């Protein structure tokens, strides 16, 4: 069984993130969406809210799990018995960062990273920009997956 983690802060989970999960499910048997707890990041939604929103989104898909973690990503991957890490990349800058981390993860734990390029129409969407829109009370519905409720 091929199992991957898809790690991130997901504050909030966007249509770009959703696309990565959907595409990864075409070649992975199971995906664990791992919400990393990063004390150095200012988040808009508390961790419990992010978990709830993403779990609700995938409630009918037994191949997707949602968990939070407070350790190195490779340690989390090993805890859930994942052989792969899936990451989405939008820019060359993302690629350079992800390549370095992937090399370290492979050396430390033998875990391979699979990079999925974002579809061109989604490259402008990031959690950072969606958070900023939320801060100005703008409608973000076009940037988050259909059916995701941010108001509960």
């Amino acid at each position: 069984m091929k199992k991957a983690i898809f790690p991130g802060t997901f504050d909030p989970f966007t249509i770009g993130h959703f696309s990565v999960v959907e595409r990864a499910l075409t070649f992975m048997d199971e995906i664990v969406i791992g919400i990393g707890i990063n004390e150095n990041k200012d988040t808009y939604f508390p961790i419990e809210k992010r978990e709830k929103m993403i779990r609700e989104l995938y409630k009918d898909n037994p191949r997707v799990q949602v968990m939070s973690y407070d350790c190195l990503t490779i340690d989390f991957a090993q805890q859930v018995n994942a052989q792969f890490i899936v990451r989405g990349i939008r820019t060359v800058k993302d690629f350079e960062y992800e390549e370095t981390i992937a090399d370290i993860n492979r050396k430390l734990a033998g875990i391979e990273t699979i990079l999925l390029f974002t579809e061109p129409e989604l490259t402008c969407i990031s959690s950072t920009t969606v958070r900023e829109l939320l801060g100005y009370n703008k409608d973000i519905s076009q940037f988050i997956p259909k059916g995701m409720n941010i108001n509960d």
Side-chain angles (χ1 to χ4, degrees), residues 2-49:
K2 292 180 283 186
K3 185 175 187 177
I5 62 167
F6 179 39
T9 308
F10 306 118
D11 185 40
F13 193 81
T14 68
I15 56 175
H17 298 129
F18 184 80
S19 171
V20 169
V21 172
E22 293 302 302
R23 291 166 52 212
L25 284 170
T26 65
F27 56 87
M28 288 291 159
D29 298 309
E30 186 177 342
I31 302 223
V32 178
I33 299 172
I35 306 170
I37 299 170
N38 185 341
E39 301 298 330
N40 297 323
K41 272 192 173 181
D42 290 328
T43 57
Y44 188 88
F45 294 106
I47 188 74
E48 299 81 14
K49 172 70 173 165

Side-chain angles (χ1 to χ4, degrees), residues 87-89 93-103 115:
R87 298 289 291 158
I89 58 174
K93 184 178 175 184
D94 287 351
F95 177 81
E96 290 172 349
Y97 173 78
E98 294 297 342
E99 179 186 30
T100 301
I101 299 300
D103 289 344
L115 302 176

Side-chain angles (χ1 to χ4, degrees), residues 89-142:
I89 58 174
R90 294 175 295 135
T91 65
V92 171
K93 184 178 175 184
D94 287 351
F95 177 81
E96 290 172 349
Y97 173 78
E98 294 297 342
E99 179 186 30
T100 301
I101 299 300
D103 289 344
I104 294 293
N105 289 342
R106 189 174 45 258
K107 285 180 195 277
L108 289 176
I111 294 174
E112 291 291 342
T113 299
I114 298 168
L115 302 176
L116 295 178
F117 291 93
T118 303
E119 293 95 340
E121 66 273 14
L122 301 179
T123 58
C124 66
I125 301 168
S126 71
S127 291
T128 302
T129 55
V130 174
R131 266 195 317 276
E132 186 172 355
L133 293 171
L134 278 169
Y136 286 98
N137 296 314
K138 296 295 183 186
D139 177 15
I140 62 161
S141 59
Q142 66 181 312

Side-chain angles (χ1 to χ4, degrees), residues 54-73:
I54 301 169
R55 263 199 198 103
E56 184 65 22
L57 187 63
Y58 289 100
K59 68 181 179 203
D60 296 326
N61 190 334
R63 296 174 56 206
V64 178
Q65 295 178 40
V66 180
M67 302 170 73
S68 61
Y69 68 97
D70 190 11
C71 59
L72 287 175
T73 298

